[in-house]
Short mmCIF file of all heavy atoms in Angstrom, two decimals:
data_model
loop_
_atom_site.label_atom_id
_atom_site.label_comp_id
_atom_site.label_asym_id
_atom_site.label_seq_id
_atom_site.Cartn_x
_atom_site.Cartn_y
_atom_site.Cartn_z
N LEU A 292 95.77 130.09 85.16
CA LEU A 292 97.22 130.20 85.35
C LEU A 292 97.49 130.63 86.78
O LEU A 292 96.99 131.65 87.23
CB LEU A 292 97.80 131.23 84.36
CG LEU A 292 99.28 131.58 84.55
CD1 LEU A 292 100.17 130.38 84.26
CD2 LEU A 292 99.67 132.75 83.64
N ASN A 293 98.26 129.83 87.50
CA ASN A 293 98.63 130.19 88.87
C ASN A 293 100.14 130.42 88.90
O ASN A 293 100.93 129.54 89.23
CB ASN A 293 98.25 129.04 89.81
CG ASN A 293 96.77 128.73 89.75
OD1 ASN A 293 95.94 129.55 90.09
ND2 ASN A 293 96.44 127.54 89.26
N ALA A 294 100.51 131.64 88.52
CA ALA A 294 101.93 131.93 88.31
C ALA A 294 102.74 131.75 89.58
O ALA A 294 103.82 131.15 89.54
CB ALA A 294 102.09 133.34 87.76
N SER A 295 102.22 132.23 90.72
CA SER A 295 103.06 132.13 91.91
C SER A 295 103.13 130.71 92.45
O SER A 295 103.99 130.39 93.26
CB SER A 295 102.59 133.10 93.00
OG SER A 295 101.25 132.85 93.30
N ASP A 296 102.25 129.84 91.98
CA ASP A 296 102.32 128.43 92.36
C ASP A 296 103.01 127.57 91.30
O ASP A 296 103.09 126.36 91.44
CB ASP A 296 100.91 127.87 92.61
CG ASP A 296 100.27 128.51 93.82
OD1 ASP A 296 101.00 128.83 94.77
OD2 ASP A 296 99.04 128.70 93.81
N PHE A 297 103.44 128.20 90.21
CA PHE A 297 104.12 127.47 89.15
C PHE A 297 103.24 126.35 88.58
O PHE A 297 103.71 125.23 88.38
CB PHE A 297 105.44 126.86 89.66
CG PHE A 297 106.43 127.86 90.18
CD1 PHE A 297 106.33 128.37 91.47
CD2 PHE A 297 107.47 128.31 89.37
CE1 PHE A 297 107.24 129.30 91.95
CE2 PHE A 297 108.38 129.24 89.85
CZ PHE A 297 108.27 129.75 91.14
N ASP A 298 101.97 126.65 88.36
CA ASP A 298 101.14 125.64 87.69
C ASP A 298 100.11 126.28 86.79
O ASP A 298 99.85 127.48 86.87
CB ASP A 298 100.49 124.68 88.71
CG ASP A 298 99.44 125.34 89.59
OD1 ASP A 298 98.44 125.82 89.04
OD2 ASP A 298 99.62 125.37 90.82
N VAL A 299 99.56 125.47 85.89
CA VAL A 299 98.59 125.95 84.93
C VAL A 299 97.60 124.82 84.64
O VAL A 299 97.97 123.66 84.64
CB VAL A 299 99.30 126.42 83.63
CG1 VAL A 299 99.95 125.25 82.89
CG2 VAL A 299 98.36 127.16 82.70
N VAL A 300 96.34 125.21 84.44
CA VAL A 300 95.32 124.23 84.07
C VAL A 300 94.97 124.47 82.60
O VAL A 300 94.68 125.60 82.20
CB VAL A 300 94.05 124.38 84.95
CG1 VAL A 300 93.03 123.32 84.59
CG2 VAL A 300 94.42 124.32 86.43
N VAL A 301 95.03 123.42 81.80
CA VAL A 301 94.80 123.58 80.36
C VAL A 301 93.80 122.57 79.84
O VAL A 301 93.61 121.50 80.44
CB VAL A 301 96.11 123.41 79.55
CG1 VAL A 301 97.16 124.43 79.96
CG2 VAL A 301 96.67 121.99 79.70
N GLU A 302 93.19 122.90 78.72
CA GLU A 302 92.38 121.94 78.00
C GLU A 302 93.30 121.08 77.12
O GLU A 302 94.42 121.50 76.80
CB GLU A 302 91.32 122.67 77.17
CG GLU A 302 90.24 123.31 78.06
CD GLU A 302 89.09 123.91 77.25
OE1 GLU A 302 89.31 124.30 76.08
OE2 GLU A 302 87.99 124.00 77.81
N PRO A 303 92.82 119.91 76.71
CA PRO A 303 93.74 118.96 76.07
C PRO A 303 94.20 119.35 74.67
O PRO A 303 95.24 118.88 74.21
CB PRO A 303 92.93 117.66 76.01
CG PRO A 303 91.50 118.10 76.03
CD PRO A 303 91.48 119.34 76.88
N GLY A 304 93.43 120.22 73.99
CA GLY A 304 93.78 120.56 72.62
C GLY A 304 94.83 121.67 72.50
O GLY A 304 95.36 121.92 71.42
N LEU A 305 95.12 122.34 73.62
CA LEU A 305 96.14 123.40 73.59
C LEU A 305 97.50 122.76 73.30
O LEU A 305 97.84 121.73 73.87
CB LEU A 305 96.17 124.11 74.95
CG LEU A 305 97.12 125.31 75.09
CD1 LEU A 305 96.73 126.45 74.15
CD2 LEU A 305 97.16 125.81 76.54
N THR A 306 98.28 123.38 72.42
CA THR A 306 99.60 122.82 72.12
C THR A 306 100.64 123.42 73.05
O THR A 306 100.44 124.50 73.61
CB THR A 306 100.02 123.09 70.67
OG1 THR A 306 100.23 124.50 70.50
CG2 THR A 306 98.95 122.59 69.69
N TRP A 307 101.77 122.74 73.20
CA TRP A 307 102.80 123.23 74.13
C TRP A 307 103.39 124.55 73.65
O TRP A 307 103.74 125.39 74.47
CB TRP A 307 103.87 122.17 74.39
CG TRP A 307 104.75 121.79 73.22
CD1 TRP A 307 104.53 120.77 72.34
CD2 TRP A 307 105.99 122.40 72.82
NE1 TRP A 307 105.55 120.70 71.41
CE2 TRP A 307 106.46 121.68 71.68
CE3 TRP A 307 106.74 123.46 73.30
CZ2 TRP A 307 107.65 122.01 71.03
CZ3 TRP A 307 107.93 123.79 72.64
CH2 TRP A 307 108.37 123.07 71.52
N ARG A 308 103.46 124.73 72.34
CA ARG A 308 104.00 126.01 71.83
C ARG A 308 103.05 127.15 72.14
O ARG A 308 103.46 128.23 72.57
CB ARG A 308 104.23 125.93 70.32
CG ARG A 308 105.50 125.19 69.95
CD ARG A 308 106.15 125.73 68.67
NE ARG A 308 107.34 124.93 68.38
CZ ARG A 308 107.36 123.89 67.56
NH1 ARG A 308 106.26 123.52 66.92
NH2 ARG A 308 108.47 123.22 67.37
N ASN A 309 101.75 126.93 71.93
CA ASN A 309 100.77 127.97 72.23
C ASN A 309 100.73 128.28 73.72
O ASN A 309 100.60 129.44 74.11
CB ASN A 309 99.37 127.56 71.75
CG ASN A 309 99.20 127.85 70.27
OD1 ASN A 309 99.96 128.64 69.71
ND2 ASN A 309 98.22 127.22 69.64
N LEU A 310 100.84 127.25 74.54
CA LEU A 310 100.88 127.50 75.98
C LEU A 310 102.06 128.40 76.32
O LEU A 310 101.90 129.42 77.02
CB LEU A 310 101.00 126.17 76.75
CG LEU A 310 101.30 126.31 78.24
CD1 LEU A 310 100.17 127.04 78.97
CD2 LEU A 310 101.54 124.96 78.90
N ASN A 311 103.23 128.06 75.80
CA ASN A 311 104.41 128.86 76.13
C ASN A 311 104.30 130.28 75.61
O ASN A 311 104.79 131.22 76.25
CB ASN A 311 105.68 128.16 75.61
CG ASN A 311 106.15 127.09 76.58
OD1 ASN A 311 105.93 127.20 77.79
ND2 ASN A 311 106.77 126.05 76.07
N GLN A 312 103.64 130.43 74.47
CA GLN A 312 103.44 131.78 73.95
C GLN A 312 102.52 132.58 74.90
O GLN A 312 102.79 133.74 75.19
CB GLN A 312 102.78 131.69 72.57
CG GLN A 312 103.19 132.81 71.65
CD GLN A 312 103.48 132.26 70.26
OE1 GLN A 312 102.93 131.23 69.87
NE2 GLN A 312 104.33 132.93 69.49
N GLN A 313 101.49 131.95 75.39
CA GLN A 313 100.53 132.64 76.25
C GLN A 313 101.10 133.02 77.62
O GLN A 313 100.64 133.96 78.24
CB GLN A 313 99.26 131.78 76.45
CG GLN A 313 98.40 131.71 75.20
CD GLN A 313 97.12 130.92 75.42
OE1 GLN A 313 96.40 131.14 76.39
NE2 GLN A 313 96.84 129.98 74.54
N ILE A 314 102.09 132.26 78.08
CA ILE A 314 102.62 132.56 79.42
C ILE A 314 103.97 133.25 79.37
O ILE A 314 104.63 133.43 80.40
CB ILE A 314 102.72 131.28 80.30
CG1 ILE A 314 103.72 130.28 79.70
CG2 ILE A 314 101.37 130.64 80.50
CD1 ILE A 314 103.95 129.06 80.58
N ARG A 315 104.38 133.67 78.17
CA ARG A 315 105.72 134.21 77.98
C ARG A 315 106.05 135.36 78.93
O ARG A 315 107.17 135.47 79.44
CB ARG A 315 105.88 134.67 76.53
CG ARG A 315 107.30 134.65 76.03
CD ARG A 315 107.35 134.86 74.54
NE ARG A 315 106.26 135.73 74.09
CZ ARG A 315 106.06 136.06 72.81
NH1 ARG A 315 106.87 135.60 71.88
NH2 ARG A 315 105.07 136.84 72.46
N ASP A 316 105.06 136.21 79.19
CA ASP A 316 105.33 137.40 80.00
C ASP A 316 105.45 137.12 81.50
O ASP A 316 105.78 138.01 82.28
CB ASP A 316 104.22 138.44 79.80
CG ASP A 316 104.24 138.96 78.37
OD1 ASP A 316 105.30 138.82 77.71
OD2 ASP A 316 103.21 139.48 77.92
N THR A 317 105.17 135.89 81.90
CA THR A 317 105.19 135.60 83.34
C THR A 317 106.58 135.17 83.81
O THR A 317 106.80 135.01 85.02
CB THR A 317 104.24 134.43 83.67
OG1 THR A 317 104.69 133.26 82.95
CG2 THR A 317 102.82 134.74 83.27
N GLY A 318 107.50 134.93 82.87
CA GLY A 318 108.81 134.42 83.26
C GLY A 318 108.79 132.91 83.51
O GLY A 318 109.77 132.33 83.96
N LEU A 319 107.66 132.31 83.21
CA LEU A 319 107.53 130.86 83.40
C LEU A 319 107.47 130.16 82.04
O LEU A 319 107.17 130.79 81.02
CB LEU A 319 106.25 130.54 84.18
CG LEU A 319 106.15 131.14 85.58
CD1 LEU A 319 104.76 130.88 86.16
CD2 LEU A 319 107.21 130.55 86.50
N TRP A 320 107.73 128.87 82.04
CA TRP A 320 107.54 128.10 80.81
C TRP A 320 107.26 126.66 81.13
O TRP A 320 107.50 126.18 82.24
CB TRP A 320 108.76 128.22 79.88
CG TRP A 320 109.97 127.47 80.35
CD1 TRP A 320 110.46 127.43 81.62
CD2 TRP A 320 110.85 126.65 79.57
NE1 TRP A 320 111.59 126.66 81.67
CE2 TRP A 320 111.85 126.16 80.45
CE3 TRP A 320 110.91 126.29 78.23
CZ2 TRP A 320 112.87 125.31 80.01
CZ3 TRP A 320 111.94 125.46 77.80
CH2 TRP A 320 112.90 124.98 78.68
#
Side-chain angles (χ1 to χ4, degrees):
Chain A
L292 173 65
N293 302 297
S295 57
D296 293 327
F297 301 81
D298 68 62
V299 67
V300 182
V301 300
E302 290 187 333
L305 184 63
T306 68
W307 66 268
R308 281 212 182 95
N309 278 342
L310 170 63
N311 278 331
Q312 212 137 27
Q313 288 183 49
I314 63 175
R315 206 170 32 181
D316 294 340
T317 61
L319 300 173
W320 73 316

